[in-house]
């Protein structure tokens, strides 16, 4: 009872205060720890008793479209600054909700166009999402008083929840739809008794009820290396110095090489043979790592993790087996760290391969 009335009063009060005294909104939620910008914005809209679209039109005007782009990655200043002003949130925590926070860690420099390394692609088409770019952990959602979506769930190398040790999901297990909580309130005519954000917008399945799965482990050293990488972004994540832009870049480069087939050289086949694991079917074509499903990423990451657990000797072994070439190691790699270039250099002379 009363929700429509409440919505009216809240929107009336919003109208009344436009241009008046305080710039603050009646509802001034602050971001939860590691909450995504888009999630925070949707909570604010619903908190005001309004549909997301209505709220955004009211606040940002009809000309500023919010949901036809990846606002978490793009983080438009007009949007973030407005939220800072209207909710009294500190600029640091407001900007901390955006994927710009990973600049200089996961990718070197923010670019407006294209994609960012390690940031999962949403593939926004109008207001729908064609990509599976937002993952979730059902156990994390279930533990929340108010379920919300974490920034770290947009990272392509996160396939396992560092808190629960179970696989993340990259889509609704019930209907297969990509997560799009901003569309939850579109079905109903009137705002606004919206379901918690953990509900699938497409089939209403509560994502908290998804059954957590244990991750498949190919090699325990590789798995702990990967878990360590995920943990850098975890609930109490403090980036350790060895996990820097360079190391994440090497990991990304090796993940890319894993899917390259170059003059019969196939690094993936070599690693699979070494650890005695079957390949899985991978999406064809030149798709980036950030567009792959969680199963494909988990598979490729584990092969890469095995290499990284003893990088120089395992890469050298792969090179001796003609599974990888020097030029492929550095191909399209703009910012290799010095130690990686050094390893690659050592593998530049084919005569050395014959020496043993
Ligand atoms: Zn979790
Ligand atoms: Zn669903």
């Amino acid at each position: 009872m009363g929700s429509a009335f409440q919505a009216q009063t809240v929107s009336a009060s919003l109208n009344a205060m436009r241009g008046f005294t305080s710039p603050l909104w009646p509802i001034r939620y602050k971001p939860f720890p590691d909450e995504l910008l888009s999630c925070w914005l949707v909570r604010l809209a619903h908190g005001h008793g309004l549909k997301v679209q209505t709220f955004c039109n009211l606040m940002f005007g009809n000309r500023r479209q919010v949901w036809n782009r990846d606002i978490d990655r793009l983080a438009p200043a007009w949007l973030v600054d407005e939220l800072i002003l209207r909710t009294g949130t500190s600029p640091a925590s407001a900007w901390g909700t955006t994927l710009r926070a990973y600049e200089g860690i996961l990718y070197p420099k923010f670019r407006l166009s294209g994609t960012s390394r390690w940031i999962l692609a949403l593939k926004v088409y109008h207001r729908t999402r064609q990509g599976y770019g937002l993952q979730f952990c059902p156990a994390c959602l279930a533990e929340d008083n108010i379920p919300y979506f974490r920034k770290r769930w947009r990272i392509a190398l996160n396939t396992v929840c560092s808190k629960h040790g179970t696989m993340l999901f990259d889509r609704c297990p019930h209907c297969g739809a990509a997560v799009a909580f901003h569309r939850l309130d579109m079905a109903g005519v009137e705002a606004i008794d919206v379901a918690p954000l953990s509900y699938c917008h497409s089939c209403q399945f509560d994502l908290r009820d998804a059954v957590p799965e244990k991750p498949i482990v190919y090699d325990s050293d590789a798995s702990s290396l990967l878990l360590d990488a995920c943990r850098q972004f975890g609930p109490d994540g403090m980036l350790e110095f060895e996990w820097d832009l360079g190391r994440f870049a090497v990991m990304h480069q090796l993940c890319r090489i894993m899917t390259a087939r170059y003059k019969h050289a196939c690094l993936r086949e070599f690693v699979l043979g070494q650890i005695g694991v079957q390949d899985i079917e991978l999406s064809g074509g030149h798709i980036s790592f950030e567009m792959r499903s969680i199963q494909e990423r988990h598979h490729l990451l584990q092969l890469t993790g095995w290499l990284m657990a003893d990088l120089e000797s395992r890469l050298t072994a792969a090179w001796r087996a003609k599974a990888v070439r020097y030029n492929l190691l550095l191909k399209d790699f703009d910012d290799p760290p010095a130690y990686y270039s050094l390893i690659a250099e050592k593998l530049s002379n084919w005569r050395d391969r014959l020496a043993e």
Side-chain angles (χ1 to χ4, degrees), residues 172-177 200-205 207:
C172 168
H174 191 249
C175 76
C200 170
H201 77 282
S202 172
C203 76
Q204 310 300 312
F205 177 79
L207 301 175

Side-chain angles (χ1 to χ4, degrees), residues 136-147 196 198-199 205-212:
F136 65 91
C137 166
C140 282
L141 289 175
E143 281 175 11
D144 294 336
N145 287 329
I146 297 166
S198 58
Y199 278 54
F205 177 79
D206 192 339
L207 301 175
R208 290 176 292 190
D209 294 335
V211 181

Side-chain angles (χ1 to χ4, degrees), residues 136-141 143 150 152-153 160-168:
F136 65 91
C137 166
C140 282
L141 289 175
E143 281 175 11
R150 275 72 166 169
R152 62 176 178 273
W153 292 343
V160 176
C161 174
S162 56
K163 187 174 180 196
H164 296 100
T166 46
M167 287 297 286
L168 301 176

Side-chain angles (χ1 to χ4, degrees), residues 3 18 36 43 62 97-98 136 160 176 199 203 208-209 232 250 253-254 274 289 297-298 305 307 313 321 325 334:
S3 70
R18 283 170 81 84
L36 263 180
R43 282 199 305 115
N62 294 334
T97 64
T98 78
F136 65 91
V160 176
Y199 278 54
C203 76
R208 290 176 292 190
D209 294 335
Q232 306 302 314
V250 168
Q253 177 73 359
L254 293 172
Q274 293 294 306
F289 188 78
R297 283 185 285 111
H298 189 69
L307 279 178
S313 71
R325 286 165 184 246
D334 296 331

